[in-house]
Amino acid sequence: MTAASEDQLRWDRRYADHSGHRTPAVPTAFADVEDLFPVSGQALEVACGAGEAAVWLAGRGMTVHAFDVSPVAIGQARELAANAGLEANVNFTAASVEDGLASLDPDASFHLVLCHLFRSPEHYPEFMDLVAPGGVLAVAVLSEVGAEPGRFRAPAGELTTAFGSLTVTMHSEQDGVSRWIGRRNR
C-alpha cells in the first residue's frame, strides 16, 4: 500500500467518524485576520478537508478550486457547497497533494493559495509559484514553537524561510501553530 493510499484511508475514516453538521467558516488559524483574504478572484485550497474554508471563500465572492486526499471529505465538501447554494463557485477534487497540484493547468495562477493545518514543505515552492502577481499565500501549520516536537510539526522559522521571496503581511509562531500570510509583488 502506498503512502498516499494509507493517508486516504486514514482521512476517510476520520471524516466518516466526524460527519456532523458543518458550516462555511474562516480557517481557524486565520480567524483574527480574515480581512487579509481577498474577496474576489481565483482561489486554490490545498488539503481542503470537508470544505468549510473553500465554501467560506466562495461566499465571499471567490471562485475556488480545492482538493483533498479523502473522497469522504470531498463528498462532505460538495454537500456543504450545495447546501450553501455555492456549488457553482467551488470545484472540489479528491486528490493527493501531488496529484492535485499536477492536475492544474501549467499556466494556472491564483489570487489566493491557502493551505490550512497541512504541512507539506516539499511543495512550498509550488505553492509560491501558483500565486498570481498581487496575490496572497496563506499557510498555517502545526509548529514546534510552544509545543513538543513531532514529525508533523514545523521547526521555528520554517514558513519565513520557505516563503521569504514574498512580502510578509502577517506572521506568528506560538502555541504550537505557525501562521504566515504574504503577497507576491505585482
Side-chain angles (χ1 to χ4, degrees):
M1 182 174 283
T2 67
S5 58
E6 287 177 19
D7 280 348
Q8 177 189 332
L9 290 173
R10 181 171 48 94
W11 285 108
D12 279 349
R13 276 189 231 115
R14 183 172 177 182
Y15 282 105
D17 289 345
H18 297 93
S19 61
H21 179 71
R22 299 183 188 278
T23 59
V26 61
T28 56
F30 297 115
D32 62 330
V33 292
E34 69 181 84
D35 58 316
L36 298 178
F37 283 74
V39 296
S40 64
Q42 300 287 319
L44 172 67
E45 185 178 7
V46 176
C48 67
E52 293 95 335
V55 176
W56 173 76
L57 291 167
R60 288 171 56 96
M62 300 198 82
T63 300
V64 184
H65 178 79
F67 60 85
D68 193 277
V69 71
S70 170
V72 172
I74 292 300
Q76 292 172 0
R78 288 179 178 142
E79 182 178 337
L80 180 61
N83 289 342
L86 294 165
E87 63 269 29
N89 303 75
V90 187
N91 175 29
F92 289 109
T93 304
S96 67
V97 174
E98 292 79 13
D99 292 342
L101 292 172
S103 72
L104 298 173
D105 183 303
D107 297 323
S109 65
F110 297 89
H111 300 96
L112 171 67
V113 175
L114 170 64
C115 186
H116 182 250
L117 300 180
F118 176 79
R119 183 171 173 253
S120 188
E122 64 275 17
H123 294 104
Y124 290 168
E126 291 169 275
F127 295 174
M128 281 197 316
D129 289 345
L130 289 166
V131 179
V136 172
L137 174 65
V139 178
V141 296
L142 296 178
S143 171
E144 294 178 355
V145 177
E148 294 293 320
R151 84 174 209 207
F152 296 112
R153 293 191 178 271
E158 177 177 281
L159 299 182
T160 300
T161 300
F163 305 126
S165 65
L166 301 179
T167 302
V168 178
T169 304
M170 175 272 182
H171 175 253
S172 72
E173 288 184 286
Q174 61 189 30
D175 302 324
V177 177
S178 181
R179 309 178 305 157
W180 193 94
I181 299 176
R183 185 172 297 278
R184 178 175 298 287
N185 293 329
R186 294 187 182 268

